[in-house]
Amino acid sequence: MNISSKTTTISNSSDFLRLFIISLALAWQPAWAGKASFSQFCEALNGHWQGDGAQRGQTPKELSLDAICSKDKRQLLLSVSEGARHPLSETWWFRDQDPSVGLWYFDGVTEERFQSFTLYHQGGGFSLLGEGRSGGRPALIQLLFEADNDGWLWRQNLHYLDEDSDSYQTYRAISLQPR
């Protein structure tokens, strides 16, 4: 077969090239990279949970978690008690602030903290990813909710930006099963 006799004309327009690049990027996009809707996240976690939780290197403690999704599915309030790090419960208040998710955290002892995240699908669960500080160091912070039987495994992960590493360290993990 004479290759020179078989020619294909490729449009040189910038629109064609842009479309090709976008198509290629979507084809290679990992499953976890797609943004998730906050309402899906809110509905999935809504309920009463129990399980064990611990920071890295500590003995797990029994805990309960109540998750309340607002009627408009734009706010999710998580209350972690019994096994919280302090005698008081922890409150995690997530708010849909399209295109980001705002989180207000209060543990009853230290000053309330705020963090902004982007919400993604990751496997059968959800990943909230944001840039912040931990222990005075710059870090990527990931709150990962992985489907686990009828419940969730909630991992709080850190990736310090001042380290030469390409992986996250699990700071704390909480196993949640329906009550």
Side-chain angles (χ1 to χ4, degrees):
M1 171 189 268
N2 184 350
I3 295 176
S4 62
S5 66
K6 297 281 186 181
T7 59
T8 304
T9 305
I10 298 176
S11 171
N12 204 13
S13 77
S14 61
D15 290 339
F16 176 79
L17 185 58
R18 190 175 314 125
L19 181 60
F20 176 74
I21 291 170
I22 290 170
S23 299
L24 187 61
L26 291 174
W28 286 98
Q29 185 177 19
W32 60 266
K35 282 197 171 185
S37 80
F38 188 84
S39 63
Q40 291 173 327
F41 172 66
C42 194
E43 287 178 328
L45 262 22
N46 192 43
H48 305 286
W49 308 93
Q50 64 186 11
D52 295 321
Q55 290 183 6
R56 185 178 56 207
Q58 293 184 348
T59 304
K61 298 178 185 178
E62 289 185 31
L63 59 86
S64 64
L65 186 142
D66 293 303
I68 303 165
C69 181
S70 65
K71 187 174 182 177
D72 66 359
K73 298 177 183 133
R74 297 202 52 181
Q75 298 182 66
L76 176 66
L77 186 67
L78 302 181
S79 176
V80 181
S81 57
E82 294 177 22
R85 288 182 286 158
H86 303 286
L88 304 173
S89 65
E90 297 174 45
T91 303
W92 300 72
W93 179 24
F94 297 90
R95 290 181 56 194
D96 184 2
Q97 298 180 316
D98 195 25
S100 65
V101 173
L103 167 64
W104 286 262
Y105 171 81
F106 184 63
D107 63 11
V109 176
T110 60
E111 199 171 304
E112 181 178 282
R113 289 177 272 174
F114 173 80
Q115 178 70 45
S116 184
F117 290 94
T118 302
L119 178 63
Y120 297 98
H121 283 288
Q122 182 157 346
F126 301 93
S127 174
L128 292 117
L129 187 59
E131 191 172 339
R133 299 189 75 74
S134 176
R137 296 172 63 188
L140 287 177
I141 301 167
Q142 180 189 45
L143 303 177
L144 182 59
F145 292 85
E146 299 171 295
D148 182 35
N149 297 320
D150 292 336
W152 298 96
L153 176 59
W154 178 10
R155 290 191 301 160
Q156 299 165 17
N157 299 322
L158 295 171
H159 174 75
Y160 290 105
L161 298 175
D162 58 3
E163 284 184 1
D164 189 20
S165 171
D166 61 352
S167 61
Y168 284 93
Q169 300 172 25
T170 298
Y171 172 74
R172 183 180 184 199
I174 301 173
S175 173
L176 302 171
Q177 296 300 314
R179 273 197 262 165

